[in-house]
Amino acid sequence: MTTSLAPVITLTTDFGRDSPYVAAMKGVILSHHPAVRIVDVTHSIPPQDIRNAAWVLEEVAPYWPEGTIHVVVVDPGVGTARKMIYAAWESAVYLAPDNGVLSRLARRSPPTTIVALESRQYWLPTVSNTFHGRDILAPVAARLSLGLDPRALGPPLAKLVEIPWSEVSVMPGKIKGTVRSIDSFGNLVTDIAADKLTDVPTDPEQVCVRCDEHETQGLFRTYGDQPPMTLVAIIGSSGYLELAIVGDSAEMMLGVRAGTPVSVIW
Amino acid sequence: MTTSLAPVITLTTDFGRDSPYVAAMKGVILSHHPAVRIVDVTHSIPPQDIRNAAWVLEEVAPYWPEGTIHVVVVDPGVGTARKMIYAAWESAVYLAPDNGVLSRLARRSPPTTIVALESRQYWLPTVSNTFHGRDILAPVAARLSLGLDPRALGPPLAKLVEIPWSEVSVMPGKIKGTVRSIDSFGNLVTDIAADKLTDVPTDPEQVCVRCDEHETQGLFRTYGDQPPMTLVAIIGSSGYLELAIVGDSAEMMLGVRAGTPVSVIW
Amino acid sequence: MTTSLAPVITLTTDFGRDSPYVAAMKGVILSHHPAVRIVDVTHSIPPQDIRNAAWVLEEVAPYWPEGTIHVVVVDPGVGTARKMIYAAWESAVYLAPDNGVLSRLARRSPPTTIVALESRQYWLPTVSNTFHGRDILAPVAARLSLGLDPRALGPPLAKLVEIPWSEVSVMPGKIKGTVRSIDSFGNLVTDIAADKLTDVPTDPEQVCVRCDEHETQGLFRTYGDQPPMTLVAIIGSSGYLELAIVGDSAEMMLGVRAGTPVSVIW
């Protein structure tokens, strides 16, 4: 892929789709840098659900042009002592509250640079107590896209705030994980990565996948391999084990929620 | 209208509003062609509803710059034998699964070129089994917008997959059709095109429009011609007969769904 | 902030997010001006709710590049005698039905120019009766962004249509206002502007905020200052008094709707 010349700024928030708050952020960004590209990742993070946002950021991270600036506003602590930060990886930078929302990314590899946003001259002249996305992150993102040196934004930080994540346990003949999120089709996305499943036999008769009291045989390649209304286990497009009802919503049919344990047994 | 210099890529999917899957497709497109314009048509096609998508594509088709590249991902057969295709008309090209989703467009005029997407060198290096929109269509769209010759994408195809459509029947003094979709205001959009209604008398007293057990007199010019809460029949903005409750949702008030028969009698 | 070179066109409608009607408007705009930037403010104005749209326009107005063209389609009278207008302020122009939707902006300062859109040569060749956003406003917006003199659009008008607004009453020790809208977090946004609250004591013990039968002490700086599930009154990010339940939806918890009286007593 080629490096982007026109910088891209993405937005990930819990403002709800179509919120005028999102529009205000875009207006601020364009006021500072009219030529920048703004792309929505999602504004439907469940309100204040830092974990959900952390998974989404991990999932979409591989697909952006080099140098993309990701702005994240899932910020239950807005206006309190939590820091707003700049965190850089090799291929992209993030502006976010330092509340764990970047911790899935950081588990893959630690950021190369972290800066606490403290230099008020790069913010809007008036900063509200409740909307730092618009008043701090939007103008800072626009200025970074124009070439501002991130070291000007404030003092460096040694590490990000972390939040605990349940671990996937791998035993001989058994892997235990968790439903981590549910996609818009009602598919149950687990935290069991494909690379943990390499020892699982290919013969469906020898593999059982269990979620709550529900069970299915085998790991399949795609939804279309099984008849409609069947529960199937597949490696989803994000590289994690998913449970799906062919042609319907597993969430609705099974009543399963994020946090439910999942096991693969062979 | 002028021909677009900056190419436009549109997206039509059933991923649900605000899906990170959509964001991943945009990231892939921008990674290959940072300057391209990406516009959402809709991501709220009912899951796997090929017919609904086919109507939407027909409805918005007239309004885009020449050379627009439309990417369509309503793909219940993802990962199975169905082909992914390029189909070109004079003013626009489409990238879609070959499952009938382009068949309303093809009824208006057949495409000038159809190509099966088989040249893997234009796809992402790793192709998942469940997300060909991101892994195949997005990079191919970006490359077409950069000038790639579509003949490089794969072998030509003679025709598109077709799906059956209920026909509107025109008799002396009577036209029978169907509610084909419901818009966001709850208006019932039928498949009876305006050009079939030229013989209908203009005197409202002489015309009856029936939908299920509901009935209204006359074909009106606009919603505002009748008092609030009245059922009215009008020629909608897409050029088809619509039934609406003035100031409210006909879908909610009448409990009517897509597929319900509609007749105009005079 | 710098003046935008690439003009921006924003869209505010009640079409419902993800409506193909919105996509058609974007297609029309890009067909006339491929290089223009289009940004959604919101498409989730409650259907035909002119007042809600008027508040949204006021709220986001300060944040756009100079010269932004705002297109507003909340138009219960589409196809009737209501005029479509161009209204200019110093920093931005608006294209909208003349139905009061610009009246909150006009209360802040009257527009410098108003023109009735009557010159059909700037519209689409065929104008439907029910979709003037696509057929009139979209092509006019694109042409303005290309430099068309607004005086060419039609005859000047002396004033905008006004709609009545309930007034905030300020008495010694008491301010009475109204919940004017509810945001996507379920926060109750009132019509009591921050500048009316300068006399309110800072000691929470001395201030009571009442909404319906619900009551809370004090005006706070931010949501995070109080324990979860507490009702708090704060100055929101739009500069108006808001009532919020910390970490939850005040709308759902209290069952309060737009129009409910709110008072601040000290």
Side-chain angles (χ1 to χ4, degrees), chain B:
Chain B
M1 304 198 184
T2 44
T3 299
S4 168
L5 299 175
V8 173
I9 294 176
T10 82
L11 304 179
T12 303
T13 80
D14 62 356
F15 294 168
R17 276 158 58 130
D18 237 12
S19 163
Y21 297 144
V22 174
M25 287 183 67
K26 292 180 180 174
V28 170
I29 292 168
L30 292 172
S31 295
H32 289 79
H33 188 179
V36 80
R37 312 290 304 267
I38 306 174
V39 184
D40 300 300
V41 169
T42 181
H43 303 289
S44 295
I45 301 293
Q48 316 193 334
D49 188 339
I50 293 169
R51 283 165 187 285
N52 185 290
W55 279 111
V56 166
L57 294 175
E58 180 188 339
E59 184 169 332
V60 302
Y63 298 106
W64 298 93
E66 224 179 294
T68 293
I69 299 164
H70 299 284
V71 175
V72 185
V73 195
V74 180
D75 192 13
V78 63
T80 64
R82 68 91 189 84
K83 289 190 173 65
M84 295 300 267
I85 53 164
Y86 163 97
W89 277 261
E90 261 168 49
S91 57
V93 308
Y94 290 78
L95 296 170
D98 189 16
N99 59 15
V101 76
L102 303 181
S103 62
R104 293 284 332 163
L105 292 167
R107 280 164 69 104
R108 296 218 156 180
S109 70
T112 55
T113 317
I114 314 170
V115 174
L117 305 184
E118 295 187 6
S119 304
R120 300 184 68 99
Q121 72 262 40
Y122 302 117
W123 305 357
L124 289 196
T126 309
V127 173
S128 71
N129 291 315
T130 56
F131 194 0
H132 290 179
R134 178 192 67 198
D135 302 336
I136 301 177
L137 300 190
V140 166
R143 284 172 163 130
L144 287 170
S145 75
L146 287 164
L148 178 67
D149 185 335
R151 287 170 298 185
L153 296 171
L157 284 177
K159 59 194 293 291
L160 296 175
V161 163
E162 280 172 32
I163 52 178
W165 293 94
S166 67
E167 297 298 329
V168 173
S169 80
V170 182
M171 294 155 284
K174 185 168 189 178
I175 296 173
K176 286 164 76 174
T178 303
V179 174
R180 50 112 158 162
S181 58
I182 291 168
D183 76 12
S184 57
F185 295 93
N187 299 330
L188 316 175
V189 186
T190 76
D191 56 2
I192 303 174
D195 60 15
K196 296 217 157 64
L197 295 166
T198 44
D199 287 348
V200 176
T202 53
D203 177 1
E205 297 292 316
Q206 297 180 33
V207 186
C208 169
V209 181
R210 218 172 265 161
C211 174
D212 226 353
E213 78 268 39
H214 311 287
E215 231 180 75
T216 177
Q217 295 285 124
L219 286 189
F220 287 89
R221 227 174 49 84
T222 171
Y223 309 116
D225 284 346
Q226 293 289 305
M229 305 308 292
T230 318
L231 178 65
V232 293
I234 62 162
I235 304 300
S237 58
S238 54
Y240 286 86
L241 179 71
E242 291 182 20
L243 286 156
I245 299 277
V246 179
D248 211 307
S249 161
E251 179 189 25
M252 306 265 249
M253 299 288 290
L254 309 183
V256 168
R257 297 175 163 225
T260 304
V262 172
S263 47
V264 183
I265 303 156
W266 68 94

Side-chain angles (χ1 to χ4, degrees), chain A residues 14 48-51 53-54 57 72-78 82-85 96-103 160-165:
Chain A
D14 61 357
Q48 316 194 336
D49 189 339
I50 293 168
R51 285 166 187 284
L57 293 176
V72 184
V73 195
V74 178
D75 192 13
V78 62
R82 68 91 189 84
K83 289 190 171 67
M84 295 301 268
I85 54 164
D98 189 17
N99 58 15
V101 76
L102 304 181
S103 62
L160 296 176
V161 164
E162 280 172 31
I163 52 178
W165 293 94

Side-chain angles (χ1 to χ4, degrees), chain C residues 4 44 73 105 199 211:
Chain C
S4 169
S44 296
V73 195
L105 292 167
D199 288 349
C211 173

Side-chain angles (χ1 to χ4, degrees), chain A residues 4 18 26 92 95 115 135 138-139 148 151 154 160 177 185 201 203 212:
Chain A
S4 168
D18 237 11
K26 292 180 180 175
L95 296 169
V115 175
D135 302 336
L148 178 68
R151 288 170 298 185
L160 296 176
F185 295 94
D203 177 1
D212 226 353

Side-chain angles (χ1 to χ4, degrees), chain A:
Chain A
M1 301 196 185
T2 44
T3 299
S4 168
L5 298 176
V8 172
I9 294 176
T10 81
L11 303 179
T12 303
T13 80
D14 61 357
F15 294 168
R17 179 77 176 224
D18 237 11
S19 164
Y21 297 144
V22 174
M25 288 183 67
K26 292 180 180 175
V28 170
I29 292 168
L30 292 172
S31 295
H32 289 79
H33 189 179
V36 80
R37 311 291 302 269
I38 307 173
V39 184
D40 300 301
V41 170
T42 180
H43 302 290
S44 296
I45 300 293
Q48 316 194 336
D49 189 339
I50 293 168
R51 285 166 187 284
N52 184 290
W55 280 111
V56 166
L57 293 176
E58 180 188 341
E59 184 168 333
V60 302
Y63 297 105
W64 298 94
E66 225 179 293
T68 293
I69 299 165
H70 299 285
V71 176
V72 184
V73 195
V74 178
D75 192 13
V78 62
T80 64
R82 68 91 189 84
K83 289 190 171 67
M84 295 301 268
I85 54 164
Y86 162 98
W89 278 259
E90 262 169 48
S91 57
V93 308
Y94 290 78
L95 296 169
D98 189 17
N99 58 15
V101 76
L102 304 181
S103 62
R104 293 286 329 165
L105 292 166
R107 280 163 69 103
R108 294 219 157 180
S109 69
T112 56
T113 317
I114 314 171
V115 175
L117 304 185
E118 295 187 4
S119 305
R120 300 185 68 100
Q121 71 264 39
Y122 303 117
W123 305 357
L124 288 196
T126 309
V127 173
S128 71
N129 292 314
T130 56
F131 194 0
H132 289 180
R134 179 192 65 198
D135 302 336
I136 301 178
L137 300 190
V140 166
R143 284 173 164 128
L144 287 171
S145 75
L146 287 163
L148 178 68
D149 184 336
R151 288 170 298 185
L153 296 172
L157 284 177
K159 58 193 293 292
L160 296 176
V161 164
E162 280 172 31
I163 52 178
W165 293 94
S166 67
E167 297 297 329
V168 173
S169 80
V170 181
M171 293 154 285
K174 185 168 189 179
I175 295 173
K176 286 164 76 175
T178 303
V179 173
R180 49 111 159 165
S181 58
I182 292 168
D183 77 10
S184 57
F185 295 94
N187 300 331
L188 316 175
V189 186
T190 77
D191 56 2
I192 303 174
D195 60 13
K196 296 218 157 63
L197 295 165
T198 44
D199 288 349
V200 176
T202 52
D203 177 1
E205 297 292 317
Q206 298 181 31
V207 186
C208 168
V209 181
R210 219 174 264 160
C211 173
D212 226 353
E213 78 268 38
H214 312 286
E215 232 179 72
T216 177
Q217 295 284 124
L219 286 188
F220 287 89
R221 229 176 45 85
T222 171
Y223 308 116
D225 284 348
Q226 293 289 304
M229 305 309 292
T230 318
L231 178 65
V232 293
I234 62 163
I235 304 300
S237 57
S238 53
Y240 286 87
L241 180 72
E242 291 182 18
L243 285 156
I245 300 277
V246 179
D248 212 307
S249 162
E251 179 189 24
M252 305 267 247
M253 298 289 290
L254 309 183
V256 167
R257 299 175 162 225
T260 305
V262 172
S263 48
V264 183
I265 303 154
W266 69 95

Side-chain angles (χ1 to χ4, degrees), chain C residues 68-149:
Chain C
T68 293
I69 299 164
H70 299 285
V71 176
V72 185
V73 195
V74 179
D75 192 13
V78 62
T80 65
R82 68 92 189 83
K83 290 190 172 66
M84 295 301 267
I85 54 164
Y86 162 98
W89 277 260
E90 261 167 50
S91 57
V93 307
Y94 290 77
L95 296 169
D98 189 17
N99 59 14
V101 76
L102 304 180
S103 62
R104 293 286 329 164
L105 292 167
R107 281 164 68 103
R108 295 218 157 180
S109 70
T112 56
T113 316
I114 314 171
V115 175
L117 304 185
E118 296 188 5
S119 305
R120 301 184 67 99
Q121 69 264 41
Y122 302 116
W123 306 356
L124 288 196
T126 308
V127 173
S128 70
N129 291 314
T130 55
F131 194 179
H132 290 180
R134 178 192 66 198
D135 301 336
I136 301 178
L137 299 189
V140 166
R143 284 172 164 130
L144 288 171
S145 75
L146 286 163
L148 178 68
D149 185 334

